[in-house]
Amino acid sequence: MATIFIFIFFFFLVPSYGFDSLDPLGNITITWDYFSDNGNSVDVRVSLNNLQLFRHVEEPGWNLGWAWKGDEVIWAMLGAEAKEQGNCTRFRGQQKPHCCQKEPVIIDLMPGTPYNMQTANCCKGGVLTSLKQDHSKGGATFQMNYIKASVSDSGGSFSMPENFTLGVPGYSCGTPFQVPPTKFTKDGHRWQQVLETWNVTCIYSQFLASPTPTCCVSLSAFYNSTIVPCPTCSCNCQGLPGATNCVDSDKTSVLQVPQTNRGEASAAVIRCSHHMCPISIHWHVKQSYKEHWRVKITITNMNFVKNYSQWNLVAVHPNFRSVTQVFSFNFQTLSVYANFSDIGMFWGLPYYNDRLLTHGENGHVQTEVLLHKDRGEFRFNEGWSFPRKISFNGDECVMPSPDAYPTLPNTAHISTTTLPTIFLSLLLLSICSTSLE
């Protein structure tokens, strides 16, 4: 009961706090391993591990930054590279350092990099997949040798950098803290450990990533002809300051997409709509059987310039514990809280629909879900068949107001505007009855 209470308490917290009720322990951890102290230089291995259930880092990837406390200089690097070399004029020899910047920014190498520039678990273009989709590709590693600061007050211990940044919108990183040294083995028999290990924890905030939502939800059902659209201005309103650029669908032939450098996200250009969201999701209660019911979910990309690789959708519904079959998507329930199986995660099948293409004829993916009707709980009335919450790629989507949900056709409904008329009619009937007596 205590676990359920905690879930209810945190479930509707505003995502700007950096807390996600669907993945409360999710984070990206940066591990800094000191391998050897060579006197004047230090060998370090840096690892990034995505410990989030469903949120991933997509293209253009991570841009890891930090600030040296002194005048340290990166002499060599494998598995990654600094975006800029910086001012290295104080080194007059033929060999120049890899990076002399006070605040270097490191990016991952691309797949296919020559082997003499690689290290284990590198070269993925900065992409980190989530734990549930493919945990084997959720990490990245690079090695470097750097020259120590000329003046150090570290008292003989290593001087850890500070002010770490991940370079991905929405993420903020904490202060480095020391943890037990990492242990490793080369043959599976003898274990060794590094000199020191430090961790940096980076968490995600949807509000930091975008001041406005990025997706919305529309609803419909077979028992009602009404289609409840995404709420108006869910993500922004046309013409307002800061609104995303939009074009009408019949003008895409003349759309000029600006070119960007590697490591920079493309400016969004979406189709004009009343909700102005790059992603729209439609939940349709399709059919009812004797023991089962069926839902159709459609995800539409409204963005003309961006594909969504390794996309995922997370929804909360009490009947997810009784999913019988999911068509065309992968599906898994997330056991975030004990005895609570209402959270379900959907993602695409490899080489089939794991990439949501730009807006157009092929800019959507869809699935149908067959669910068992749990006795004593299943019902169509009061909006029970619709999701409580939906997120796309880890960002919560705007839901319609519950009082707008499609209702059953036989639901008794008396408009508040008719109540005075009914009251007046009853009053007149009472007066007439009295006068007749």
Side-chain angles (χ1 to χ4, degrees):
M1 289 297 294
T3 304
I4 300 299
F5 174 78
I6 293 174
F7 173 80
I8 295 173
F9 181 77
F10 285 113
F11 190 80
F12 293 103
L13 277 179
V14 180
S16 61
Y17 294 116
F19 175 87
D20 190 343
S21 60
L22 303 184
D23 189 12
L25 302 179
N27 69 84
I28 293 180
T29 298
I30 303 168
T31 300
W32 189 285
D33 290 320
Y34 288 98
F35 261 81
S36 61
D37 186 345
N38 308 315
N40 186 44
S41 66
V42 179
D43 291 324
V44 173
R45 180 181 65 188
V46 181
S47 303
L48 293 84
N49 293 289
N50 185 8
L51 304 179
Q52 300 175 108
L53 292 176
F54 48 82
R55 188 173 289 110
H56 61 278
V57 176
E58 58 184 348
E59 298 175 352
W62 52 265
N63 289 253
L64 180 62
W66 64 79
W68 296 112
K69 290 183 177 179
D71 56 354
E72 292 91 341
V73 170
I74 301 176
W75 190 260
M77 183 173 288
L78 290 175
E81 62 183 357
K83 293 184 70 173
E84 296 185 25
Q85 185 182 37
N87 185 1
C88 297
T89 55
R90 65 188 175 105
F91 295 91
R92 301 294 184 179
Q94 293 183 351
Q95 186 176 0
K96 293 292 182 69
H98 181 78
C99 178
C100 300
Q101 287 191 312
K102 176 75 172 179
E103 299 181 359
V105 176
I106 312 301
I107 58 176
D108 197 7
L109 298 178
M110 300 300 291
T113 297
Y115 289 111
N116 62 345
M117 298 174 61
Q118 293 188 26
T119 187
N121 201 26
C122 82
C123 312
K124 303 170 186 175
V127 175
L128 300 176
T129 57
S130 62
L131 287 175
K132 291 299 181 181
Q133 286 180 265
D134 189 353
H135 64 85
S136 65
K137 298 180 181 178
T141 303
F142 63 88
Q143 298 177 4
M144 67 177 179
N145 173 269
Y146 72 87
I147 306 299
K148 292 181 179 180
S150 55
V151 178
S152 175
D153 57 356
S154 58
S157 62
F158 295 107
S159 180
M160 188 68 188
E162 56 188 2
N163 300 334
F164 278 79
T165 58
L166 200 57
V168 180
Y171 286 90
S172 56
C173 301
T175 304
F177 58 95
Q178 193 168 3
V179 296
T182 301
K183 295 182 179 181
F184 63 96
T185 179
K186 296 180 179 179
D187 55 9
H189 300 286
R190 170 178 164 79
W191 287 85
Q192 299 173 273
Q193 69 180 35
V194 300
L195 301 178
E196 283 185 13
T197 297
W198 293 70
N199 279 356
V200 178
T201 302
C202 302
I203 60 174
Y204 180 83
S205 166
Q206 181 175 342
F207 182 78
L208 292 179
S210 173
T212 59
T214 56
C215 55
C216 64
V217 180
S218 57
L219 307 171
S220 63
F222 69 90
Y223 50 77
N224 194 311
S225 59
T226 302
I227 298 177
V228 180
C230 285
T232 301
C233 295
S234 294
C235 300
N236 219 315
C237 296
Q238 295 185 43
L240 288 183
T244 305
N245 295 327
C246 77
V247 294
D248 294 326
S249 59
D250 57 352
K251 298 179 181 179
T252 56
S253 59
V254 296
L255 179 65
Q256 297 295 324
V257 180
Q259 297 295 319
T260 58
N261 299 323
R262 187 195 159 199
E264 299 178 358
S266 301
V269 180
I270 66 174
R271 179 179 177 179
C272 295
S273 63
H274 71 279
H275 54 75
M276 290 294 289
C277 291
I279 293 292
S280 66
I281 299 163
H282 187 71
W283 178 287
H284 175 62
V285 180
K286 186 175 181 179
Q287 202 164 355
S288 176
Y289 308 99
K290 182 178 180 180
E291 297 291 335
H292 297 84
W293 62 296
R294 185 184 293 260
V295 171
K296 182 177 181 180
I297 303 173
T298 304
I299 308 172
T300 303
N301 186 2
M302 307 293 287
N303 198 326
F304 286 107
V305 298
K306 181 178 181 179
N307 295 321
Y308 291 87
S309 301
Q310 298 293 326
W311 60 267
N312 65 68
L313 182 145
V314 175
V316 179
H317 194 282
N319 212 177
F320 278 159
R321 69 193 71 168
S322 301
V323 170
T324 301
Q325 189 173 2
V326 176
F327 303 88
S328 304
F329 282 6
N330 287 306
F331 173 81
Q332 185 175 351
T333 55
L334 304 181
S335 301
V336 179
Y337 304 92
N339 301 322
F340 188 85
S341 304
D342 293 8
I343 307 173
M345 176 178 171
F346 301 86
W347 69 98
L349 301 175
Y351 309 108
Y352 178 61
N353 56 5
D354 59 343
R355 178 182 288 265
L356 179 56
L357 301 179
T358 56
H359 181 69
E361 183 179 354
N362 300 314
H364 67 275
V365 291
Q366 59 187 19
T367 184
E368 293 192 4
V369 186
L370 189 65
L371 306 101
H372 184 264
K373 294 180 179 178
D374 295 335
R375 290 189 176 183
E377 184 175 4
F378 172 83
R379 60 186 182 275
F380 280 129
N381 62 337
E382 299 177 348
W384 188 91
S385 58
F386 298 107
R388 281 52 173 162
K389 194 175 187 179
I390 284 184
S391 68
F392 179 81
N393 278 358
D395 286 342
E396 185 175 345
C397 302
V398 179
M399 297 282 296
S401 175
D403 59 4
Y405 285 9
T407 57
L408 290 171
N410 59 346
T411 300
H413 178 73
I414 301 177
S415 174
T416 56
T417 59
T418 63
L419 290 178
T421 304
I422 296 175
F423 177 76
L424 182 59
S425 300
L426 293 174
L427 181 61
L428 291 174
L429 181 61
S430 176
I431 293 173
C432 292
S433 300
T434 304
S435 61
L436 288 175
E437 292 176 358

